[in-house]
Amino acid sequence: MGGTHAEMARLLWGPHPRPARGPRPTLDLDRIARAGIEIADSDGLAALSMQRVAARLGVTKMALYRYVPGKAELVALMVDAAIGPYRAAGKPRNGWREHLEEWGRQLLAGFQRHPWMLDATVGPRIMGPGELSWLEYAVSTLDGTGLSGAERMDAAVLLVGHVREITQQARAAGPTGDPETELGAVLGDLMREHGDRFPALTSALISTARSGGQNQAWEFGLQRILDGLAALIDQRAC
Amino acid sequence: MGGTHAEMARLLWGPHPRPARGPRPTLDLDRIARAGIEIADSDGLAALSMQRVAARLGVTKMALYRYVPGKAELVALMVDAAIGPYRAAGKPRNGWREHLEEWGRQLLAGFQRHPWMLDATVGPRIMGPGELSWLEYAVSTLDGTGLSGAERMDAAVLLVGHVREITQQARAAGPTGDPETELGAVLGDLMREHGDRFPALTSALISTARSGGQNQAWEFGLQRILDGLAALIDQRAC
DNA sequence: ATTATTAGTGTCCATTGGACACAGTTTCTT
DNA sequence: AAGAAACTGTGTCCAATGGACACTAATAAT
């Protein structure tokens, strides 16, 4: 292993000065990260190996270790490159709620473009500049709302959690959107056989049937969180 | 690989009839799962290998494959055994909010007892009876609140997402609770060096300083979600 | 007693992440 | 111009991993 946190920070945050001597490098961190992203996008994070990344770049696996101390660092680079910096699109005259809503939608879109980011962002880790810019924006929208610093952070984290959960659900449902994957079929069988042990669940699922799929779940959670925030902010304002 | 979803379901949901012929098995699924849990509890999911589980049971690695088709299935068993069925503790006269609050606290406690469950529950998968009983309870508390089936499910999922996010934060902060781990130190350095690029974040962190750590974040998100739910329920009731 | 099953073992294999020595390339110094 | 220094990509090697498969021993039905 080559992965201390300090190395990770240096890699994510630079600078990366081109060394003065020696042959010119064939690769750079950006190309490596993009190659990894392409693999993970199409075949999932489990299919990501140093070999495959190297092969895609026309280079030996060991060449990568000249740029990256280990696989964990490569994945961290991929995450930060895949999510990129947040670019606010809305007009700046809107209130915090509109901004956070748009922000959440874009974050969700990012996660769904790169579902492997779910697996890559579990556990303690160091965020890169891109990822941090997302957090920065979310927290900044809550400036002047009367929330404390910790509360503004907590609110952002709460939204991130929701985005992650929805991404996970969407991935389970498969790309079609409805649970007619094999997993969905197995789950159906399961409920048909053991449904009586889970009456509330069964009734909830039946009454659900067709009501909008995961998009509904996303909107529901988003609005509930924003409502909860609004309630607190209003209460503080009085 | 030996892991179709159907096999996973059979393994998690049984039945597991003792075969009539042949020597008596030395192990059973429960003991295997518990051995795995002990390893993951103490050394993390990354340290879980078939070899180590087998060694702890005094048996060869290949013996495990008589019980479990593959590692993925073993992990699924571990998850369901670790979280276990939900046992409602509160008096049944309370309202949905109290029940959900207690439920969330217990779920969080479970995740913090077995932090590796975070890594083990990413991606599409089949839930076991234990896990499903937690979902069942959460959904059942919302019966009769005027929420639709889908909404009741979404509410439960929302809370699970929050629990997961908090667990992740707590794990990053380390067992002490404050960010004085190496990771925390590196993050501090990072903000000291690049803080000017993230003014809102910096100010939020400074004003945070000492305000309660991750417990605060947990309570904040929990109450925000419950407030949001209450708002919707009240609105439906009118 | 024979036979069908089943359980645990031992051996083998491909793949993985990574360590390390080496040869070739480029720039700085003398 | 000529080393020397620093660096790059390659080739080889290794331990550990999940898993396939054949084999022996144990059990119960016939």
Side-chain angles (χ1 to χ4, degrees), chain B residues 19 21 23 25-26 59-60 62-63 66-67:
Chain B
R21 319 261 191 112
T26 348
V59 107
T60 316
M62 288 315 291
R66 292 281 170 197
Y67 301 83

Side-chain angles (χ1 to χ4, degrees), chain A residues 18 98 116 144 165 177 217:
Chain A
R18 235 294 254 115
E98 286 79 10
W116 50 269
E165 207 68 12

Side-chain angles (χ1 to χ4, degrees), chain A:
Chain A
M1 287 229 228
T4 72
H5 285 149
E7 292 175 71
M8 189 85 88
R10 193 182 45 71
L11 212 66
L12 282 168
W13 289 88
H16 306 287
R18 235 294 254 115
R21 314 251 196 122
R24 12 188 85 71
T26 346
L27 309 173
D28 58 287
L29 289 177
D30 232 67
R31 279 188 63 203
I32 296 178
R34 281 210 311 273
I37 290 173
E38 288 168 29
I39 292 173
D41 277 349
S42 65
D43 292 10
L45 196 65
L48 185 89
S49 73
M50 300 304 266
Q51 306 234 41
R52 270 193 80 178
V53 177
R56 174 169 289 245
L57 292 167
V59 105
T60 315
K61 145 185 95 149
M62 288 316 291
L64 298 182
Y65 286 95
R66 291 282 171 201
Y67 302 83
V68 170
K71 197 193 185 185
E73 286 80 4
L74 169 58
V75 173
L77 281 176
M78 287 168 52
V79 168
D80 210 66
I83 193 64
Y86 179 65
R87 295 180 226 286
K91 25 213 162 320
R93 279 284 152 254
N94 287 337
W96 63 266
R97 182 156 185 153
E98 286 79 10
H99 277 120
L100 272 189
E101 216 173 308
E102 173 65 15
W103 174 89
R105 272 184 232 290
Q106 293 213 31
L107 185 59
L108 179 65
F111 266 87
Q112 291 192 335
R113 256 194 303 276
H114 309 288
W116 50 269
M117 283 209 305
L118 264 190
D119 315 71
T121 51
V122 283
R125 63 207 179 74
I126 293 189
M127 294 192 295
E131 216 177 336
L132 217 55
S133 84
W134 285 79
L135 205 51
E136 162 75 14
Y137 182 84
V139 170
S140 77
T141 60
L142 293 171
D143 278 351
T145 49
L147 298 188
S148 79
E151 287 170 335
R152 279 173 279 161
M153 288 281 288
D154 294 345
V157 168
L158 190 54
L159 283 166
V160 171
H162 182 48
V163 168
R164 293 177 58 103
E165 207 68 12
I166 293 297
T167 307
Q168 182 157 351
Q169 273 188 273
R171 195 159 62 149
T176 83
D178 60 321
E180 272 321 305
T181 47
E182 190 218 338
L183 192 150
V186 173
L187 281 182
D189 285 356
L190 228 55
M191 286 312 285
R192 230 163 287 130
E193 194 167 354
H194 303 272
D196 44 335
R197 289 167 56 189
F198 306 95
L201 221 44
T202 308
S203 117
L205 286 176
I206 289 176
S207 99
T208 299
R210 281 271 65 78
S211 68
Q214 73 259 46
N215 211 0
Q216 202 87 20
W218 160 248
E219 281 300 328
F220 179 86
L222 178 62
Q223 297 307 328
R224 245 27 73 213
I225 292 175
L226 294 176
D227 283 356
L229 285 175
L232 182 63
I233 290 173
D234 287 356
Q235 163 194 332
R236 290 282 169 80
C238 294

Side-chain angles (χ1 to χ4, degrees), chain B:
Chain B
M1 287 224 231
T4 73
H5 285 149
E7 291 175 73
M8 191 86 87
R10 191 182 46 73
L11 213 66
L12 282 169
W13 289 87
H16 306 288
R18 234 295 257 110
R21 319 261 191 112
R24 13 186 84 73
T26 348
L27 310 173
D28 58 287
L29 288 177
D30 232 68
R31 280 188 60 202
I32 296 178
R34 283 209 310 272
I37 290 173
E38 288 168 28
I39 293 173
D41 276 349
S42 65
D43 292 9
L45 197 65
L48 185 88
S49 73
M50 300 302 264
Q51 305 233 41
R52 270 193 80 178
V53 177
R56 175 168 289 245
L57 292 167
V59 107
T60 316
K61 143 184 96 147
M62 288 315 291
L64 299 181
Y65 287 95
R66 292 281 170 197
Y67 301 83
V68 170
K71 196 192 185 184
E73 287 80 6
L74 168 58
V75 173
L77 281 177
M78 287 167 53
V79 168
D80 211 64
I83 193 64
Y86 179 65
R87 295 180 227 285
K91 27 213 164 309
R93 280 283 152 254
N94 287 337
W96 62 267
R97 182 154 185 156
E98 286 79 12
H99 276 120
L100 272 188
E101 217 173 308
E102 173 65 15
W103 175 89
R105 273 184 231 290
Q106 292 214 31
L107 186 58
L108 179 65
F111 266 87
Q112 292 192 334
R113 254 194 305 273
H114 309 289
W116 50 268
M117 283 209 304
L118 264 190
D119 315 70
T121 52
V122 284
R125 64 207 180 74
I126 294 189
M127 294 191 297
E131 216 176 336
L132 217 54
S133 85
W134 285 79
L135 205 52
E136 161 76 14
Y137 183 83
V139 170
S140 77
T141 61
L142 293 171
D143 277 350
T145 50
L147 298 187
S148 79
E151 287 171 334
R152 279 172 281 161
M153 288 280 289
D154 295 344
V157 168
L158 189 55
L159 283 167
V160 172
H162 182 48
V163 169
R164 295 178 56 104
E165 207 69 14
I166 294 297
T167 307
Q168 183 157 352
Q169 272 187 275
R171 195 160 61 150
T176 83
D178 60 322
E180 273 321 305
T181 49
E182 192 217 336
L183 193 151
V186 173
L187 281 183
D189 286 355
L190 227 54
M191 287 311 286
R192 232 164 286 131
E193 192 167 356
H194 303 273
D196 44 337
R197 289 166 57 190
F198 305 95
L201 220 45
T202 308
S203 117
L205 285 177
I206 289 176
S207 98
T208 297
R210 282 269 65 80
S211 67
Q214 73 259 44
N215 211 0
Q216 201 87 19
W218 159 248
E219 281 300 329
F220 179 85
L222 178 64
Q223 297 307 329
R224 249 23 77 214
I225 292 175
L226 294 176
D227 283 355
L229 285 175
L232 181 64
I233 289 172
D234 287 357
Q235 164 194 331
R236 290 281 169 82
C238 297

